[in-house]
Amino acid sequence: MEIKIEGLEAKIGDTPILRGVDLTMNSGEVHALMGPNGSGKSTLSNVVFGHPSYEVTGGRVLVDGEDILEMEPHERARLGLFLAFQYPVEISGVTVGRFLRRAVEIRFEGQKEVRTKGFLKDLREAMDFMEIDQQFINRYLNEGFSGGEKKRMEILQMLMLQPQFSILDETDSGLDIDALAVVARGVNKMREHDFGALIITHYQRILDHIKPDFVHIMYQGRIVTSGGGEIVTELEKRGYDWVRAQYGQEEEVHE
Amino acid sequence: MKNNTVGEVFTGVDGLGDYIGSLPEPDWMRETRLAALERFSTMDWPDTAVEEWRRSDISSYDFNAYNMRGAQQSAAADSADPQAEPDVAGRISFEGPDAVATSLDPDLASQGVIFEPLSEFVLQNSANHGGNMSKATRAVRDLIMDSVHKADNKLKLWHYAGWTHGVVLYVPRFMEIKNCFVLDFQESGDSVISAPQVFVVLEEGARVEVIQRVHGADEGVVLLNESVDIHIGDGAACKYVALHNLNIDSSSFGTTLARISRDGHLHHGIAAFGSMFTKFRVDAELNGPGSDVLLDGIYYPAEDQHVDLRTVQTHFAPKCASHALYRGAIRDEAHGVYQGLIYVGDEGSETDAYLTNNNLLLNDGAQADSIPCLQIHTNDVKCSHGSTTGKLNRNEVFYLASRGFSPEEAEEILLQGFFEPIVARLPGALQEEIRDLIAARFVPVDIL
Ligand SMILES: Nc1ncnc2c1ncn2[C@@H]1O[C@H](COP(=O)(O)OP(=O)(O)O)[C@@H](O)[C@H]1O
Ligand SMILES: [Mg+2]
């Protein structure tokens, strides 16, 4: 799967947030996206998935050559895209088991029979792998989960849905070292198959577990520089000040 | 005793005295009706100047334009169903005021459980026993007189003067009954008053589950005016859940009053789906220390339905707990009203009470009023209320869409999920039925 983002511009209300994002990614590759808070990383994730709060004002998002910007969010998901949210919402009254059974059914519609027994067995295995207690099957999705539990639940969903490409939006934030290792293990398991990921993060530590092929830095709604792992080391050492100094633009002041 | 004039019809208000006179009832019951009639005659219909009725205007009803008749005595006996259903301790089915089928697990009957149509119960206990009145009869009479005495509006007194049919469930001491009792009320006809009365009397330590269904023909206009009186003895436990689903031309009025003694438990639930106009009130009186109460409510009015539900948690004893959770989804031009009162008397120290009301407005034009109220006359209590009114959450729909759910399916799942914490704790026999009713009402609003 090839994802090609070209000159993507988006605003919320009257405020432009993405100001021309260019990024090409393929399944089989791991990309890291870094950048200071507020630079537009979550917005990019949301816009790629078609969140209704954002208005796209320019550019294209091509998946295997097809522009997905006119598609509804669920149609985009059904292409095999997945988003692990920075702040997963709580879905009251819907159990993890019921939610995932239906999501898996939708994902593999017509492809493979989702048998009751097979599904539960797969789910139990994936939960063991993610070190999530089996009792969570009967809990309402994300309701009352701790921050770390929510993040693990996102990765559990990814394992069950087997997307070809995932955006992980700060899945590592707020995790302790052990939880981080579990999350990374989930992502690396996906890499056994044809799978690509865009990992949005502030920290080097997750990238020690999941080696990125490419690293991009976003600032003020653009990808301002790209490279390999050396950029991460640079950031750890110097912070974002050099990015601001080198790529920052004065806000245009309107009367 | 007079003969029962089967099928004789009386007008709703003016015919009330004649109706009472025509019934073949013993004096102890007739006296309760006359006591109610006397208070009824001195009262005006509740109007919107009274807070409880402020949002539910009944001034356009001409109650005299509705007719009533009493239950036919022999109907049930003829069709008594000896075939016990699994999971059902007993079932009584009514068509209009007539009991058309009754069943009771014979084991329970032999252990002293009484479960029968009210008119039969009244006839069987017809002698002027005086001091020899059976325990059950005395309990029933005391419940009526208590309710007549406490009634603060004319509709309720109207019911006690003119009830048309009903059920008595009496459970002796320490009988724990696993299977549930089922009451089916099937209503039909035009301009017909249906005024069913349910008594549940649990002696010390008894335990039961009761399901009440009120449904009706697709056509016709029924005016339901029901009342449920519950007595929960020391350490007894009652689960009572009512599903109301009359047609859209009908109206439903009803009151439930449960008295809970020391260490008793009540789990009451109401699911209001039908009727153009609904006004229900559920009163839980915690009279003995250590008792606790859970009041659940589900409503989902659509089109121009009006649903007004009121709960009252009355703490007359220390160390009691009560919790009300009412959730409503409101569609089209419908109007949902919830009024919740927590009253703690000066004996109610160490009370733990709260009430929660959540409303989902599914489109512009839908309206919800949420009026929680606390009246607390003692210190050392934990009482709170919370109410929310909102729309389906776009971020939740988006989240589900990002997992491949179509927006329609996502909205439906969220709506089911909104009610699910309540549905999941109702009796198993009702859960799927209620989920289906919720699903049948669903129309996507397309908020993505
Ligand atoms: N729903 C929103 N309403 C208003 N402003 C928003 C909203 N979402 C994001 N923004 C703004 O867009 C900018 C980019 O935010 P975001 O994409 O969350 O950044 P990042 O994920 O890189 O921290 C920020 O200035 C933020 O305040
Ligand atoms: Mg972010």
Side-chain angles (χ1 to χ4, degrees), chain B residues 211-253:
Chain B
I211 292 175
Q212 179 195 358
R213 289 189 190 81
V214 180
H215 33 210
D218 293 343
E219 307 279 313
V221 179
V222 172
L223 190 141
L224 180 84
N225 186 15
E226 69 160 28
S227 202
V228 178
D229 283 289
I230 300 174
H231 167 83
I232 297 175
D234 288 357
C238 178
K239 189 178 240 192
Y240 190 103
V241 179
L243 169 59
H244 282 269
N245 197 17
L246 290 182
N247 71 29
I248 187 77
D249 294 317
S250 295
S251 304
S252 296
F253 298 91

mmCIF file of all heavy atoms in Angstrom, chain B residues 211-253:
data_model
loop_
_atom_site.group_PDB
_atom_site.id
_atom_site.type_symbol
_atom_site.label_atom_id
_atom_site.label_comp_id
_atom_site.label_asym_id
_atom_site.label_seq_id
_atom_site.Cartn_x
_atom_site.Cartn_y
_atom_site.Cartn_z
ATOM 1 N N ILE B 211 -42.283 -9.103 36.135
ATOM 2 C CA ILE B 211 -42.222 -8.371 34.868
ATOM 3 C C ILE B 211 -43.640 -7.985 34.487
ATOM 4 O O ILE B 211 -44.535 -8.828 34.471
ATOM 5 C CB ILE B 211 -41.618 -9.255 33.759
ATOM 6 C CG1 ILE B 211 -40.145 -9.521 34.034
ATOM 7 C CG2 ILE B 211 -41.802 -8.605 32.403
ATOM 8 C CD1 ILE B 211 -39.531 -10.485 33.035
ATOM 9 N N GLN B 212 -43.830 -6.720 34.210
ATOM 10 C CA GLN B 212 -45.140 -6.259 33.777
ATOM 11 C C GLN B 212 -45.024 -5.697 32.363
ATOM 12 O O GLN B 212 -44.165 -4.861 32.095
ATOM 13 C CB GLN B 212 -45.650 -5.163 34.723
ATOM 14 C CG GLN B 212 -47.002 -4.594 34.335
ATOM 15 C CD GLN B 212 -47.318 -3.273 35.046
ATOM 16 O OE1 GLN B 212 -46.544 -2.802 35.865
ATOM 17 N NE2 GLN B 212 -48.445 -2.678 34.697
ATOM 18 N N ARG B 213 -45.888 -6.181 31.485
ATOM 19 C CA ARG B 213 -45.910 -5.627 30.136
ATOM 20 C C ARG B 213 -47.272 -5.019 29.881
ATOM 21 O O ARG B 213 -48.296 -5.659 30.131
ATOM 22 C CB ARG B 213 -45.693 -6.710 29.082
ATOM 23 C CG ARG B 213 -44.301 -7.280 28.998
ATOM 24 C CD ARG B 213 -44.210 -8.160 27.757
ATOM 25 N NE ARG B 213 -42.976 -8.911 27.737
ATOM 26 C CZ ARG B 213 -42.773 -10.039 28.407
ATOM 27 N NH1 ARG B 213 -43.760 -10.556 29.140
ATOM 28 N NH2 ARG B 213 -41.621 -10.673 28.337
ATOM 29 N N VAL B 214 -47.268 -3.805 29.375
ATOM 30 C CA VAL B 214 -48.527 -3.180 28.984
ATOM 31 C C VAL B 214 -48.412 -2.865 27.508
ATOM 32 O O VAL B 214 -47.601 -2.028 27.101
ATOM 33 C CB VAL B 214 -48.782 -1.879 29.776
ATOM 34 C CG1 VAL B 214 -50.106 -1.251 29.355
ATOM 35 C CG2 VAL B 214 -48.772 -2.160 31.272
ATOM 36 N N HIS B 215 -49.171 -3.596 26.709
ATOM 37 C CA HIS B 215 -49.136 -3.288 25.291
ATOM 38 C C HIS B 215 -50.541 -3.278 24.737
ATOM 39 O O HIS B 215 -51.496 -3.645 25.421
ATOM 40 C CB HIS B 215 -48.217 -4.209 24.509
ATOM 41 C CG HIS B 215 -48.134 -5.595 25.016
ATOM 42 N ND1 HIS B 215 -47.013 -6.376 24.885
ATOM 43 C CD2 HIS B 215 -49.025 -6.340 25.690
ATOM 44 C CE1 HIS B 215 -47.232 -7.545 25.455
ATOM 45 N NE2 HIS B 215 -48.433 -7.562 25.942
ATOM 46 N N GLY B 216 -50.668 -2.834 23.504
ATOM 47 C CA GLY B 216 -52.022 -2.663 23.014
ATOM 48 C C GLY B 216 -52.137 -2.892 21.534
ATOM 49 O O GLY B 216 -51.150 -3.105 20.822
ATOM 50 N N ALA B 217 -53.393 -2.839 21.089
ATOM 51 C CA ALA B 217 -53.682 -2.958 19.666
ATOM 52 C C ALA B 217 -53.089 -1.746 18.946
ATOM 53 O O ALA B 217 -52.874 -0.695 19.543
ATOM 54 C CB ALA B 217 -55.191 -3.021 19.463
ATOM 55 N N ASP B 218 -52.815 -1.916 17.652
ATOM 56 C CA ASP B 218 -52.257 -0.806 16.873
ATOM 57 C C ASP B 218 -53.232 0.362 16.773
ATOM 58 O O ASP B 218 -52.830 1.513 16.703
ATOM 59 C CB ASP B 218 -51.895 -1.280 15.457
ATOM 60 C CG ASP B 218 -50.739 -2.261 15.493
ATOM 61 O OD1 ASP B 218 -50.046 -2.308 16.536
ATOM 62 O OD2 ASP B 218 -50.537 -2.979 14.496
ATOM 63 N N GLU B 219 -54.512 0.016 16.719
ATOM 64 C CA GLU B 219 -55.535 1.052 16.591
ATOM 65 C C GLU B 219 -56.270 1.193 17.916
ATOM 66 O O GLU B 219 -56.237 0.298 18.753
ATOM 67 C CB GLU B 219 -56.554 0.655 15.509
ATOM 68 C CG GLU B 219 -55.948 0.307 14.161
ATOM 69 C CD GLU B 219 -55.629 1.545 13.352
ATOM 70 O OE1 GLU B 219 -56.504 2.427 13.279
ATOM 71 O OE2 GLU B 219 -54.510 1.632 12.823
ATOM 72 N N GLY B 220 -57.002 2.303 18.035
ATOM 73 C CA GLY B 220 -57.817 2.482 19.228
ATOM 74 C C GLY B 220 -57.219 3.511 20.162
ATOM 75 O O GLY B 220 -56.070 3.933 19.994
ATOM 76 N N VAL B 221 -58.041 3.937 21.123
ATOM 77 C CA VAL B 221 -57.615 4.962 22.069
ATOM 78 C C VAL B 221 -57.894 4.468 23.476
ATOM 79 O O VAL B 221 -59.044 4.294 23.873
ATOM 80 C CB VAL B 221 -58.377 6.289 21.818
ATOM 81 C CG1 VAL B 221 -57.932 7.335 22.830
ATOM 82 C CG2 VAL B 221 -58.149 6.775 20.394
ATOM 83 N N VAL B 222 -56.820 4.207 24.207
ATOM 84 C CA VAL B 222 -56.960 3.708 25.570
ATOM 85 C C VAL B 222 -56.410 4.753 26.529
ATOM 86 O O VAL B 222 -55.394 5.397 26.242
ATOM 87 C CB VAL B 222 -56.194 2.378 25.739
ATOM 88 C CG1 VAL B 222 -56.164 1.948 27.194
ATOM 89 C CG2 VAL B 222 -56.802 1.292 24.857
ATOM 90 N N LEU B 223 -57.110 4.925 27.622
ATOM 91 C CA LEU B 223 -56.585 5.773 28.672
ATOM 92 C C LEU B 223 -56.212 4.865 29.836
ATOM 93 O O LEU B 223 -57.079 4.289 30.488
ATOM 94 C CB LEU B 223 -57.626 6.810 29.099
ATOM 95 C CG LEU B 223 -57.086 7.898 30.031
ATOM 96 C CD1 LEU B 223 -57.685 9.234 29.688
ATOM 97 C CD2 LEU B 223 -57.325 7.559 31.486
ATOM 98 N N LEU B 224 -54.919 4.692 30.017
ATOM 99 C CA LEU B 224 -54.429 3.826 31.093
ATOM 100 C C LEU B 224 -54.245 4.671 32.349
ATOM 101 O O LEU B 224 -53.654 5.747 32.292
ATOM 102 C CB LEU B 224 -53.092 3.204 30.684
ATOM 103 C CG LEU B 224 -52.467 2.269 31.726
ATOM 104 C CD1 LEU B 224 -53.062 0.873 31.585
ATOM 105 C CD2 LEU B 224 -50.959 2.204 31.574
ATOM 106 N N ASN B 225 -54.783 4.168 33.448
ATOM 107 C CA ASN B 225 -54.554 4.849 34.728
ATOM 108 C C ASN B 225 -54.251 3.768 35.762
ATOM 109 O O ASN B 225 -55.132 3.259 36.421
ATOM 110 C CB ASN B 225 -55.782 5.669 35.119
ATOM 111 C CG ASN B 225 -55.527 6.512 36.367
ATOM 112 O OD1 ASN B 225 -54.380 6.710 36.777
ATOM 113 N ND2 ASN B 225 -56.587 7.005 36.982
ATOM 114 N N GLU B 226 -52.988 3.391 35.838
ATOM 115 C CA GLU B 226 -52.631 2.220 36.642
ATOM 116 C C GLU B 226 -52.023 2.618 37.968
ATOM 117 O O GLU B 226 -51.565 3.742 38.163
ATOM 118 C CB GLU B 226 -51.639 1.338 35.878
ATOM 119 C CG GLU B 226 -50.274 1.978 35.732
ATOM 120 C CD GLU B 226 -49.154 0.976 35.416
ATOM 121 O OE1 GLU B 226 -49.434 -0.068 34.814
ATOM 122 O OE2 GLU B 226 -48.010 1.277 35.764
ATOM 123 N N SER B 227 -52.002 1.648 38.844
ATOM 124 C CA SER B 227 -51.315 1.866 40.101
ATOM 125 C C SER B 227 -50.692 0.556 40.573
ATOM 126 O O SER B 227 -51.265 -0.505 40.404
ATOM 127 C CB SER B 227 -52.292 2.404 41.134
ATOM 128 O OG SER B 227 -51.568 3.075 42.129
ATOM 129 N N VAL B 228 -49.504 0.686 41.117
ATOM 130 C CA VAL B 228 -48.795 -0.485 41.630
ATOM 131 C C VAL B 228 -48.445 -0.191 43.086
ATOM 132 O O VAL B 228 -47.843 0.846 43.381
ATOM 133 C CB VAL B 228 -47.510 -0.755 40.812
ATOM 134 C CG1 VAL B 228 -46.761 -1.956 41.384
ATOM 135 C CG2 VAL B 228 -47.840 -0.956 39.343
ATOM 136 N N ASP B 229 -48.867 -1.084 43.969
ATOM 137 C CA ASP B 229 -48.543 -0.926 45.389
ATOM 138 C C ASP B 229 -47.691 -2.099 45.824
ATOM 139 O O ASP B 229 -48.051 -3.254 45.627
ATOM 140 C CB ASP B 229 -49.830 -0.871 46.221
ATOM 141 C CG ASP B 229 -50.497 0.487 46.112
ATOM 142 O OD1 ASP B 229 -49.948 1.457 46.664
ATOM 143 O OD2 ASP B 229 -51.552 0.582 45.434
ATOM 144 N N ILE B 230 -46.569 -1.782 46.414
ATOM 145 C CA ILE B 230 -45.607 -2.815 46.790
ATOM 146 C C ILE B 230 -45.301 -2.693 48.273
ATOM 147 O O ILE B 230 -45.039 -1.589 48.778
ATOM 148 C CB ILE B 230 -44.308 -2.665 45.961
ATOM 149 C CG1 ILE B 230 -44.618 -2.806 44.455
ATOM 150 C CG2 ILE B 230 -43.263 -3.696 46.403
ATOM 151 C CD1 ILE B 230 -43.434 -2.524 43.542
ATOM 152 N N HIS B 231 -45.346 -3.837 48.947
ATOM 153 C CA HIS B 231 -44.898 -3.872 50.339
ATOM 154 C C HIS B 231 -43.724 -4.837 50.430
ATOM 155 O O HIS B 231 -43.845 -6.006 50.071
ATOM 156 C CB HIS B 231 -46.026 -4.339 51.261
ATOM 157 C CG HIS B 231 -45.534 -4.682 52.637
ATOM 158 N ND1 HIS B 231 -45.339 -3.731 53.610
ATOM 159 C CD2 HIS B 231 -45.156 -5.856 53.184
ATOM 160 C CE1 HIS B 231 -44.882 -4.317 54.708
ATOM 161 N NE2 HIS B 231 -44.755 -5.614 54.485
ATOM 162 N N ILE B 232 -42.610 -4.352 50.888
ATOM 163 C CA ILE B 232 -41.417 -5.190 51.015
ATOM 164 C C ILE B 232 -41.101 -5.326 52.499
ATOM 165 O O ILE B 232 -40.705 -4.354 53.147
ATOM 166 C CB ILE B 232 -40.246 -4.572 50.230
ATOM 167 C CG1 ILE B 232 -40.613 -4.540 48.725
ATOM 168 C CG2 ILE B 232 -38.961 -5.363 50.462
ATOM 169 C CD1 ILE B 232 -39.598 -3.850 47.851
ATOM 170 N N GLY B 233 -41.303 -6.522 53.010
ATOM 171 C CA GLY B 233 -41.101 -6.771 54.436
ATOM 172 C C GLY B 233 -39.626 -6.759 54.804
ATOM 173 O O GLY B 233 -38.737 -6.604 53.957
ATOM 174 N N ASP B 234 -39.343 -6.955 56.077
ATOM 175 C CA ASP B 234 -37.960 -6.940 56.567
ATOM 176 C C ASP B 234 -37.093 -7.912 55.762
ATOM 177 O O ASP B 234 -37.441 -9.083 55.612
ATOM 178 C CB ASP B 234 -37.912 -7.367 58.041
ATOM 179 C CG ASP B 234 -38.473 -6.284 58.954
ATOM 180 O OD1 ASP B 234 -38.832 -5.199 58.435
ATOM 181 O OD2 ASP B 234 -38.560 -6.540 60.169
ATOM 182 N N GLY B 235 -36.008 -7.418 55.238
ATOM 183 C CA GLY B 235 -35.062 -8.280 54.533
ATOM 184 C C GLY B 235 -35.592 -8.872 53.234
ATOM 185 O O GLY B 235 -34.932 -9.714 52.637
ATOM 186 N N ALA B 236 -36.755 -8.467 52.790
ATOM 187 C CA ALA B 236 -37.312 -9.005 51.538
ATOM 188 C C ALA B 236 -36.738 -8.237 50.354
ATOM 189 O O ALA B 236 -36.176 -7.149 50.505
ATOM 190 C CB ALA B 236 -38.827 -8.914 51.553
ATOM 191 N N ALA B 237 -36.839 -8.838 49.168
ATOM 192 C CA ALA B 237 -36.256 -8.211 47.982
ATOM 193 C C ALA B 237 -37.201 -8.359 46.802
ATOM 194 O O ALA B 237 -37.706 -9.441 46.525
ATOM 195 C CB ALA B 237 -34.910 -8.846 47.648
ATOM 196 N N CYS B 238 -37.406 -7.247 46.108
ATOM 197 C CA CYS B 238 -38.318 -7.258 44.970
ATOM 198 C C CYS B 238 -37.664 -6.571 43.784
ATOM 199 O O CYS B 238 -37.107 -5.483 43.899
ATOM 200 C CB CYS B 238 -39.594 -6.502 45.341
ATOM 201 S SG CYS B 238 -40.783 -6.399 43.996
ATOM 202 N N LYS B 239 -37.744 -7.278 42.654
ATOM 203 C CA LYS B 239 -37.374 -6.630 41.399
ATOM 204 C C LYS B 239 -38.662 -6.499 40.603
ATOM 205 O O LYS B 239 -39.373 -7.497 40.399
ATOM 206 C CB LYS B 239 -36.354 -7.503 40.663
ATOM 207 C CG LYS B 239 -35.723 -6.839 39.451
ATOM 208 C CD LYS B 239 -34.688 -7.766 38.819
ATOM 209 C CE LYS B 239 -33.318 -7.119 38.813
ATOM 210 N NZ LYS B 239 -32.325 -7.799 37.991
ATOM 211 N N TYR B 240 -38.995 -5.306 40.219
ATOM 212 C CA TYR B 240 -40.258 -5.085 39.499
ATOM 213 C C TYR B 240 -39.960 -4.210 38.292
ATOM 214 O O TYR B 240 -39.520 -3.068 38.433
ATOM 215 C CB TYR B 240 -41.263 -4.380 40.408
ATOM 216 C CG TYR B 240 -42.664 -4.318 39.827
ATOM 217 C CD1 TYR B 240 -43.669 -5.175 40.272
ATOM 218 C CD2 TYR B 240 -42.974 -3.409 38.812
ATOM 219 C CE1 TYR B 240 -44.949 -5.135 39.729
ATOM 220 C CE2 TYR B 240 -44.247 -3.368 38.264
ATOM 221 C CZ TYR B 240 -45.233 -4.221 38.728
ATOM 222 O OH TYR B 240 -46.495 -4.187 38.181
ATOM 223 N N VAL B 241 -40.160 -4.752 37.104
ATOM 224 C CA VAL B 241 -39.846 -3.979 35.900
ATOM 225 C C VAL B 241 -41.051 -3.947 34.973
ATOM 226 O O VAL B 241 -41.643 -4.988 34.664
ATOM 227 C CB VAL B 241 -38.621 -4.557 35.173
ATOM 228 C CG1 VAL B 241 -38.329 -3.744 33.921
ATOM 229 C CG2 VAL B 241 -37.413 -4.551 36.092
ATOM 230 N N ALA B 242 -41.406 -2.748 34.568
ATOM 231 C CA ALA B 242 -42.585 -2.559 33.719
ATOM 232 C C ALA B 242 -42.172 -2.033 32.351
ATOM 233 O O ALA B 242 -41.371 -1.100 32.252
ATOM 234 C CB ALA B 242 -43.543 -1.576 34.380
ATOM 235 N N LEU B 243 -42.734 -2.648 31.334
ATOM 236 C CA LEU B 243 -42.510 -2.192 29.961
ATOM 237 C C LEU B 243 -43.832 -1.661 29.424
ATOM 238 O O LEU B 243 -44.821 -2.395 29.342
ATOM 239 C CB LEU B 243 -42.014 -3.368 29.106
ATOM 240 C CG LEU B 243 -41.980 -3.152 27.593
ATOM 241 C CD1 LEU B 243 -41.080 -1.988 27.226
ATOM 242 C CD2 LEU B 243 -41.494 -4.423 26.898
ATOM 243 N N HIS B 244 -43.836 -0.401 29.082
ATOM 244 C CA HIS B 244 -45.062 0.234 28.591
ATOM 245 C C HIS B 244 -44.952 0.545 27.111
ATOM 246 O O HIS B 244 -44.043 1.246 26.693
ATOM 247 C CB HIS B 244 -45.323 1.527 29.367
ATOM 248 C CG HIS B 244 -45.898 1.289 30.726
ATOM 249 N ND1 HIS B 244 -47.247 1.242 30.960
ATOM 250 C CD2 HIS B 244 -45.312 1.038 31.909
ATOM 251 C CE1 HIS B 244 -47.471 0.988 32.236
ATOM 252 N NE2 HIS B 244 -46.308 0.861 32.843
ATOM 253 N N ASN B 245 -45.894 0.024 26.355
ATOM 254 C CA ASN B 245 -45.823 0.252 24.914
ATOM 255 C C ASN B 245 -47.208 0.280 24.280
ATOM 256 O O ASN B 245 -47.515 -0.498 23.385
ATOM 257 C CB ASN B 245 -44.952 -0.837 24.262
ATOM 258 C CG ASN B 245 -44.503 -0.437 22.867
ATOM 259 O OD1 ASN B 245 -44.562 0.749 22.509
ATOM 260 N ND2 ASN B 245 -44.071 -1.403 22.081
ATOM 261 N N LEU B 246 -48.055 1.193 24.739
ATOM 262 C CA LEU B 246 -49.369 1.361 24.106
ATOM 263 C C LEU B 246 -49.211 2.103 22.783
ATOM 264 O O LEU B 246 -48.170 2.696 22.510
ATOM 265 C CB LEU B 246 -50.304 2.147 25.031
ATOM 266 C CG LEU B 246 -50.760 1.415 26.292
ATOM 267 C CD1 LEU B 246 -51.729 2.291 27.083
ATOM 268 C CD2 LEU B 246 -51.413 0.073 25.942
ATOM 269 N N ASN B 247 -50.266 2.083 21.980
ATOM 270 C CA ASN B 247 -50.160 2.752 20.679
ATOM 271 C C ASN B 247 -50.101 4.275 20.849
ATOM 272 O O ASN B 247 -50.375 4.820 21.913
ATOM 273 C CB ASN B 247 -51.292 2.307 19.741
ATOM 274 C CG ASN B 247 -52.642 2.865 20.156
ATOM 275 O OD1 ASN B 247 -52.728 3.940 20.744
ATOM 276 N ND2 ASN B 247 -53.699 2.130 19.859
ATOM 277 N N ILE B 248 -49.760 4.921 19.772
ATOM 278 C CA ILE B 248 -49.441 6.350 19.805
ATOM 279 C C ILE B 248 -50.676 7.223 20.035
ATOM 280 O O ILE B 248 -50.556 8.401 20.351
ATOM 281 C CB ILE B 248 -48.702 6.742 18.492
ATOM 282 C CG1 ILE B 248 -48.168 8.182 18.509
ATOM 283 C CG2 ILE B 248 -49.613 6.553 17.295
ATOM 284 C CD1 ILE B 248 -46.917 8.334 19.314
ATOM 285 N N ASP B 249 -51.888 6.669 19.936
ATOM 286 C CA ASP B 249 -53.090 7.466 20.207
ATOM 287 C C ASP B 249 -53.538 7.362 21.660
ATOM 288 O O ASP B 249 -54.472 8.040 22.069
ATOM 289 C CB ASP B 249 -54.240 7.012 19.294
ATOM 290 C CG ASP B 249 -53.928 7.320 17.835
ATOM 291 O OD1 ASP B 249 -53.419 8.423 17.570
ATOM 292 O OD2 ASP B 249 -54.171 6.449 16.985
ATOM 293 N N SER B 250 -52.898 6.505 22.421
ATOM 294 C CA SER B 250 -53.321 6.269 23.796
ATOM 295 C C SER B 250 -52.582 7.176 24.777
ATOM 296 O O SER B 250 -51.631 7.864 24.408
ATOM 297 C CB SER B 250 -53.079 4.799 24.159
ATOM 298 O OG SER B 250 -53.920 3.973 23.365
ATOM 299 N N SER B 251 -53.064 7.168 26.009
ATOM 300 C CA SER B 251 -52.427 7.960 27.064
ATOM 301 C C SER B 251 -52.163 7.063 28.265
ATOM 302 O O SER B 251 -52.934 6.142 28.522
ATOM 303 C CB SER B 251 -53.351 9.095 27.518
ATOM 304 O OG SER B 251 -53.723 9.892 26.415
ATOM 305 N N SER B 252 -51.098 7.351 28.970
ATOM 306 C CA SER B 252 -50.752 6.513 30.124
ATOM 307 C C SER B 252 -50.485 7.370 31.351
ATOM 308 O O SER B 252 -49.628 8.258 31.325
ATOM 309 C CB SER B 252 -49.502 5.687 29.817
ATOM 310 O OG SER B 252 -49.753 4.792 28.757
ATOM 311 N N PHE B 253 -51.237 7.071 32.405
ATOM 312 C CA PHE B 253 -50.975 7.674 33.705
ATOM 313 C C PHE B 253 -50.684 6.534 34.667
ATOM 314 O O PHE B 253 -51.261 5.457 34.538
ATOM 315 C CB PHE B 253 -52.196 8.458 34.195
ATOM 316 C CG PHE B 253 -52.565 9.613 33.302
ATOM 317 C CD1 PHE B 253 -53.465 9.443 32.254
ATOM 318 C CD2 PHE B 253 -51.995 10.859 33.500
ATOM 319 C CE1 PHE B 253 -53.793 10.500 31.417
ATOM 320 C CE2 PHE B 253 -52.322 11.922 32.668
ATOM 321 C CZ PHE B 253 -53.224 11.741 31.618
#
